[in-house]
Amino acid sequence: MESIEGDAGNFQVTVRERPRYVDMDKCIACGICAERCPRKVKDEYNQGLAKRKAIYVQYAQAVPLKYVIDADHCIYFKKKGRCKACEKYCPSDAIDFTQKEKIHKIEVGSVILSTGFKSFDPRGYDVYGYGSLPNVITSMEFERILSASGPFQGHLQRPSDNEPPRKIAWLQCVGSRDLHTGCHEYCSGVCCMYAIKEAVIAREHAGGDLDTAIFFMDMRTHGKEFDRYYDRARDEAGVRFIRSRVHSIERAGPGSDDLQITYVDDGGELKEEIFNLVVLSTGLEISEEVRKLAQDLGIDLDLHGFAETSCFTPVVTSRPGVFVCGAFAGPKDIPQSVMEASAASSACAVLLADSRNSLTQEKTYPPEDPIIYEEPRIGVFVCHCGINIAGVVDVPAVRDYAETLPNVVYVADNLFSCSQDTQGLIRDAVKENRLNRVVVAACTPRTHEPLFQETIRDGGLNPYLFEFANIRDQDAWVHQKEPEKATEKAKDLVRMSVVKAALLEPIEPLLLGNRHKALVIGGGAAGMIAALDLADQGFKTFIVEQKEKLGGYAKYVRKTWKGEDGRAFLADLKERVRGHERIEVLLDTKISHVSGFVGNFTTTVTTGSAEQELEHGVIILAVGAKSLKPDEYLYGQSDLVMRWHELEKLFEKEPERLEQAEAVAFIQCVGSREPERPYCSKFCCTSSLQQAIDFKTRKPGLDVYVLYRDIRTYGQREELYRKARELGVIFIRYSLNEKPVVEETRINGKDKLKITVKDHILGIPLELQVDYLDLATAIIARGDEELAKMLKVPLNEDGFFLEAHMKLRPVDFATDGIFVCGMAHYPKPLEESIVQAKAAAARAASVLIKESVEVEPTVSVIDQEKCIGCGLCEACCPFGAIELIKVSGQGYRAENIQALCKGCGICAAACPQKAIDMKHFRDHQILAMIEAGGEGR
Amino acid sequence: MSKDIKGSVMVVGGGIAGIQSALDLANSGFLVHMVEKSAAIGGVMSALDKTFPTNDCAM
């Protein structure tokens, strides 16, 4: 990207496209070019641990899967006109040395910058010896070593001698939380978790006898399910966690490849230990290239090179119409990046709402050919998958065998059946040979079935007239050492698929109406933000709040950690919600019943004694959470003991209390990270430090103590930790088995508190006398079991709503049309609730814009003649998709609600009458496959 | 704010964040132009082995 001109809504962007020297339309990604290319180059994808050729694909599953010539290393470009091996051997004539750089001018309404991060480069920091000691590697290098597609095919071995290491150490905070020149003072936020994951997986690779040790300062496992993973790694996997400061890494002895780590442990003692391999947990940083781009585009950056954003508008940059997401907006992990990405798309959709659908077009398909009702005419396509299948299975033999099977009228084998040109060949074959059933024998239906279904749909066939024979994942890959047997098995699998294909039936898509309205449950910051983003895009939105006013937990946020005024933000937010013509707020209102499904929900709500029904297409859950009222540390017994924002509020209301106070203390993790509640409440460290800094700034003579287990000021919040220490806030670490003891006392006629806590460096108990104690108590779920049941969405063990996929679908549920955001999902700071709310709005909007809702039609079919109304299926169905209805004179009969059915088949398995069949997996189809499977023997 | 509003967005960077943004926008009726400096999309995540907590293959 070169430049952006114009204004929000109407930008002209200049983009420079580098030549690929490979014609993307012609390349079939066969790999012959790379095989023939004589020039070997360090492979960046494998962090330089392996070699690639000068013509290459970045990785085996790359999108687009098209080769590219690295002109910086290609012999043709280096020695003008020489070599051209790739051109000579390319079977599809795809090499084009004449390609030139192209400049594109593209008009767009808005821009999203998701330029990501680069890993910190530890070269040049002699403490670590990276670059000079071969067995000191970075975490990204270790990821590649663990990977099956990596330099050692997933065998755990170290670079110096390719021997499997028996002891591996991870060093945390490399380049992060470090004030040395070139390092970063912020916390990179992700390294603790990835180091634990790497240690656990390394142990899985190596078996039981691998010793793994993580050297760290604070263990920052602050996300959802993170602490449980940490606990399991320590207690079950046996990963050692060593709280320490590392002094140096040196060669263990002359001629040795092992490494000696010298460190100071948490008792202040100098220690040494020898390891075979050391992994540096390098942090995240913004590259010079991205900084330069931001400068050219007029985007403000913060001190560390991240895009400057506000906690209230976390995806908005300083340039209107240009949005940001992912690590460019601050160090963060995958789920947070995914949420921000959806949030940025919501911000764009709000800005460009009036021009929605103006430049896009619906994909259309040819009408279904009536030949599908004729006698089966099956085409079989057997895939080489490069050498993935063909390296083991005799593909031409399988193809020839398929030709002998009943109903098969066409066969072919393809190098890559998934490549664009093969898709064209399949379409043409369908038309030219009047095929009405298609079998592809290839990789796996898990990733590729939708692609082939789409292909035959383009060829005029119903997508369910397709059958997949899995001859890679379930054959070539598992029987690599027995090629002959693998070939026989491939034939068996093809025969079974052909038999099933002959019995396949077209299945009509299920199209349902769509109510273009949203229901947001919960009127806190998350709920209001989600509602505004939807209403601003033109969708009528209801907010149902059980309390008598809007605001939720956000009202306690006096200031964000960046120092912004939380109350002004909330006041403005409420005003925008109340004044919005498309938002209807229902206060003092409870949800009493929910029925229906995506696009067609009906929710009964009760306000006082009045009931009403709301009709809507989507639901956003934003019910929030609450803070624990503890029964320890004298809470509720002494007026001097408070929690969360109470102390701050007291000092605001009665400033003389602060003036008269000599000392205050905070205790962290009250009720969090305990066996009963093994999770971190995420923003308590930040909140307590904000208050500590505020008190200490207002009254420098005040003694402020923070009693903690790990300080978790993740990401750029680390700045608060540094500032607090600079101001003289005293941090004392305690452990779970030696909690502080709080007692009431009187000193000079004044009520005070005496706190006894063991100092971890001195190893002796300290006695603190303080005027006030503030407890950072656990954030706990509201107790949403009933609501979860009504919506048929799951809660996790801690009572928070459980999303569809922790990384890739962080605001969705498995049930379509229902989304989650804010603290209902997990404790989180305001800015992350806002991000998630916008993400939920983006996901919800993609449902609401559709004219009708299409659901997967592979649902269960109930034969009511056979049904005896026992209700087993209804009880088993996890999606509430089966209802018992009363049939006069016959008792009850089961009925399927197709829109809710996910086609899992549990009901069919449970039915004692065999009255339930699954579309596309009918009993007679499966039995025919099983019989055909036996025929080969 | 310009009166002639374009119904398209440019996403700069094809890592996991860029991909998600692009998909959400395309699924919501906007034309997306994705710009990526390397020869394939996927970003850093594509080079990770497995991811927490399910140990799913990152690919």
Side-chain angles (χ1 to χ4, degrees), chain A residues 15-192:
Chain A
V15 171
R16 183 185 296 272
E17 185 190 6
R18 280 198 296 268
R20 200 175 185 104
Y21 304 111
V22 172
D23 186 331
M24 299 251 278
D25 295 329
K26 290 183 182 166
C27 175
I28 54 168
C30 62
I32 292 172
C33 53
E35 236 168 72
R36 297 291 178 168
C37 173
R39 183 80 169 95
K40 281 190 176 170
V41 184
K42 265 193 177 181
D43 181 6
E44 311 86 348
Y45 177 73
N46 274 313
Q47 302 290 316
L49 294 170
K51 294 265 163 90
R52 61 162 169 81
K53 296 295 183 65
I55 185 164
Y56 69 107
V57 282
Q58 207 163 313
Y59 51 97
Q61 303 88 336
V63 173
L65 193 59
K66 303 287 170 186
Y67 277 74
V68 56
I69 292 178
D70 170 1
D72 291 339
H73 295 98
C74 170
I75 295 169
Y76 173 85
F77 289 101
K78 295 282 112 182
K79 298 179 180 168
K80 203 64 206 157
R82 304 271 290 274
C83 185
K84 289 189 171 185
C86 50
E87 190 183 51
K88 201 159 121 197
Y89 290 102
C90 176
S92 59
D93 200 18
I95 309 294
D96 180 2
F97 289 111
T98 67
Q99 279 185 3
K100 293 272 173 307
E101 192 171 85
K102 281 186 220 158
I103 301 288
H104 303 270
K105 301 252 181 206
I106 301 172
E107 295 194 328
V108 294
S110 65
V111 174
I112 293 177
L113 298 175
S114 48
T115 47
F117 67 91
K118 86 182 239 302
S119 281
F120 174 79
D121 183 359
R123 227 173 297 263
Y125 295 89
D126 49 1
V127 177
Y128 304 120
Y130 181 75
S132 60
L133 301 170
N135 292 327
V136 176
I137 62 171
T138 66
S139 44
M140 279 308 289
E141 288 171 320
F142 194 68
E143 289 286 341
R144 295 315 302 151
I145 288 178
L146 286 176
S147 174
S149 66
F152 309 131
Q153 291 77 47
H155 297 294
L156 183 55
Q157 54 193 60
R158 64 179 193 177
S160 72
D161 50 11
N162 292 354
E163 284 297 311
R166 295 173 315 281
K167 282 185 78 177
I168 310 179
W170 278 261
L171 306 193
Q172 298 308 103
C173 302
V174 173
S176 311
R177 302 183 67 191
D178 189 338
L179 298 177
H180 289 95
T181 318
C183 297
H184 305 294
E185 61 181 69
Y186 55 82
C187 157
S188 289
V190 300
C191 325
C192 283

Side-chain angles (χ1 to χ4, degrees), chain A residues 148 229 287 314 322 325 355 390 516 637 748 761 809 861 917:
Chain A
Y229 197 71
S287 69
V322 179
C325 61
S355 301
H516 309 281
Q637 295 169 43
N748 301 331
I761 297 171
R809 294 179 66 194
V861 188
D917 220 3

